[in-house]
Amino acid sequence: MLTFWVEFALVLTAILIGIRRGGVALGMIGGLGVAVLTFVFRETPAEPPITVMLIILAVVTASATLQVAGGLDFLVQQAERLMRRHPQQITLLAPLSTFLLTMCVGTGHAVYSLLPVIADVSLKTRIRPERPMAISSVASQMGITASPAAAAVTTLLALTSKSASPVTLGQILAVTIPAGLIGVVAAAAWSMRRGVELYRDPEFLERMKDPDFKAAIEKSVTTLDKTLPRMAKLSVVLFFSGILGIVLLALNPHWLPLSKGQPVPMTTAVQFVMLSAGAFILFAANTKAAAIARSEVFTAGMIAVVSIFGIAWMSDTFVNANQRFLVAHIKTMVEYAPWTFALAMFAVSAFVKSQAATLTIMVPFGLALGLSPHQLLSIMPSCYAYFFFAFYPSDLAAINMDRSGTTHIGKYLLNHSFMIPGLIGVVVSTLVAYGLAQVYF
């Protein structure tokens, strides 16, 4: 028992130091944790999460190619056109746009191009920018669990693939898409009435007396004047063709070729289909390979791969080594109330700040405790909680891009603009997912 608590302290310390350092540090320190568990505590190292890493690599490479080819900018422009056509509905349309954009391309980092536009439409319509800005940042991350191209979805797919009743991509999307949309709409509905009206806000009116501040407010921001590459639209068609191909294969596994008498695993199919989609975009748009490697999407994806590599390997090693102890002490509670595991997942996500990394840590733990893959799917939306401390890049970007200053972090750190929309969105989507899973499975 003493060994368990010492090892647990080691793993927790490694995660906290990795989070503090940021970026790829989480992966490297996780690898150091594996070394300590192996050499000091004489534990057998678990298998590294190769399948998860390869899926993320394939999807990120295709998404980065789409970005360089101009496809991502094309999608952003379509979203801006919709919001400018119906500016009075910005608090609802903005988060739905960011949710769907993430759902389409598999990464929440696509939101950065839309945030200045959302702020601009809000100011032109005299709607308090905090209302759409905060929920739009939250919605962009909620869309991850609803995207067939997202690392979190493919992580759950891969981690449950060897269990007795693995979840399929179709089952994941059937739960997470409606759950996510309902959660976003619920949070947006609350956001429509938050705060005082912009031009009745005494703090804002006081700032408007500053000529520089007033000039910044009146400045227009748009993506519609950006000239897109000639093949931008085609790159979107090719990327979505890859996504559609994955969904069709997931719904019709008999279409997959046979290997040793068995269909090729869906986790393998995702890899070669997305790499193929990226290759078609590469050829059609004559995209330079060096530009893909330098893109924001590729950089963020590679950081995620390294982080998951180390942290998942360390977590798996710890869980495998202490499985008997964990099952004996926690299994009864989790079996009686599986939703309690959602609270644990939420707490881990608040610190790890990655839904894929959270699932990589928690899914093997949940399986070891006797939760079925479908029970884990039913609480999947709870793996998003990094809005809690409002230090995630999309939240900070929303604060910086809101020229009115209404989107903010409060004096007491946790009383920030994202807290209530985030809690409403995650709680509602988790409850809906839990209910849908009971109906489906």
Side-chain angles (χ1 to χ4, degrees):
M1 185 173 181
L2 178 60
T3 302
F4 167 82
W5 289 111
V6 173
E7 290 183 3
F8 178 74
L10 166 69
V11 171
L12 188 61
T13 301
I15 291 173
L16 292 175
I17 294 174
I19 292 168
R20 187 179 181 86
R21 292 277 182 172
V24 297
L26 193 59
M28 291 188 288
I29 294 172
L32 176 60
V34 175
V36 174
L37 288 171
T38 302
F39 289 109
V40 177
F41 294 94
R42 315 307 293 179
E43 306 290 7
T44 302
E47 289 293 321
I50 300 299
T51 300
V52 175
M53 293 163 59
L54 291 179
I55 289 175
I56 296 173
L57 276 170
V59 172
V60 164
T61 301
S63 299
T65 309
L66 174 72
Q67 182 184 27
V68 174
L72 189 55
D73 289 331
F74 172 77
L75 293 173
V76 169
Q77 287 188 349
Q78 302 315 302
E80 179 177 352
R81 286 192 175 94
L82 175 65
M83 289 186 289
R84 290 195 183 279
R85 197 173 295 129
H86 306 282
Q88 294 295 337
Q89 305 302 319
I90 186 69
T91 307
L92 177 62
L93 292 178
L96 286 176
S97 296
T98 60
F99 179 91
L100 293 173
L101 185 62
T102 297
M103 184 177 152
C104 289
V105 301
T107 173
H109 294 288
V111 74
Y112 301 131
S113 300
L114 267 181
L115 287 174
V117 174
I118 295 169
D120 189 65
V121 174
S122 302
L123 288 168
K124 296 294 185 293
T125 320
R126 296 199 169 191
I127 290 174
R128 185 180 181 87
E130 179 187 31
R131 295 173 179 175
M133 291 290 279
I135 179 54
S136 294
S137 177
V138 168
S140 71
Q141 304 307 316
M142 290 177 62
I144 288 174
T145 55
S147 171
V153 171
T154 52
T155 295
L156 182 64
L157 191 68
L159 291 175
T160 63
S161 62
K162 295 180 181 179
S163 65
S165 56
V167 294
T168 66
L169 183 61
Q171 290 172 335
I172 295 174
L173 300 181
V175 170
T176 58
I177 291 176
L181 285 171
I182 292 172
V184 167
V185 170
W190 178 86
S191 299
M192 288 179 181
R193 298 291 182 183
R194 76 176 308 178
V196 299
E197 297 299 330
L198 183 63
Y199 282 85
R200 294 179 183 173
D201 186 337
E203 187 176 340
F204 174 77
L205 293 176
E206 184 65 29
R207 290 182 180 180
M208 284 292 284
K209 295 177 182 178
D210 182 347
D212 293 335
F213 179 81
K214 186 176 181 180
I217 289 294
E218 294 174 350
K219 182 181 178 181
S220 185
V221 178
T222 181
T223 66
L224 299 179
D225 56 0
K226 185 175 183 178
T227 303
L228 300 180
R230 187 168 55 90
M231 293 296 180
K233 293 182 182 178
L234 179 59
S235 69
V236 172
V237 172
L238 293 172
F239 184 83
F240 284 164
S241 297
I243 298 295
L244 179 61
I246 290 172
V247 173
L248 290 175
L249 288 174
L251 297 176
N252 302 276
H254 57 277
W255 290 359
L256 290 165
L258 298 179
S259 175
K260 298 180 181 179
Q262 297 293 326
V264 171
M266 192 61 210
T267 51
T268 302
V270 171
Q271 297 168 42
F272 61 68
V273 169
M274 291 311 298
L275 286 174
S276 298
F280 283 124
I281 297 171
L282 180 78
F283 293 132
N286 195 25
T287 306
K288 295 185 182 299
I292 297 171
R294 293 194 300 267
S295 69
E296 294 174 3
V297 171
F298 191 83
T299 300
M302 291 308 100
I303 292 173
V305 168
V306 176
S307 298
I308 287 171
F309 181 21
I311 204 67
W313 198 4
M314 178 181 65
S315 299
D316 279 356
T317 300
F318 170 73
V319 169
N320 290 348
N322 297 279
Q323 185 167 341
R324 185 177 300 175
F325 179 89
L326 291 168
V327 169
H329 288 79
I330 307 176
K331 184 176 182 179
T332 302
M333 180 190 72
V334 172
E335 282 182 341
Y336 178 73
W339 59 266
T340 57
F341 196 76
L343 299 178
M345 198 140 67
F346 184 88
V348 170
S349 176
F351 292 97
V352 173
K353 298 192 179 298
S354 165
Q355 294 176 60
T358 299
L359 291 170
T360 305
I361 293 169
M362 297 301 290
V363 168
F365 187 24
L367 293 173
L369 292 173
L371 290 175
S372 72
H374 294 94
Q375 285 177 313
L376 291 168
L377 169 58
S378 72
I379 57 173
M380 188 180 180
S382 66
C383 71
Y384 167 51
Y386 38 86
F387 66 85
F388 198 81
F389 295 109
F391 291 153
Y392 195 71
S394 64
D395 297 335
L396 295 176
I399 292 170
N400 292 327
M401 292 177 184
D402 178 3
R403 305 192 301 277
S404 71
T406 56
T407 308
H408 64 284
I409 295 177
K411 178 180 178 181
Y412 303 105
L413 184 63
L414 296 181
N415 59 330
H416 51 71
S417 299
F418 312 94
M419 180 63 81
I420 297 180
L423 289 174
I424 292 174
V426 171
V427 170
V428 170
S429 59
T430 302
L431 290 174
V432 172
Y434 193 83
L436 288 174
Q438 304 309 307
V439 173
Y440 293 156
F441 314 121

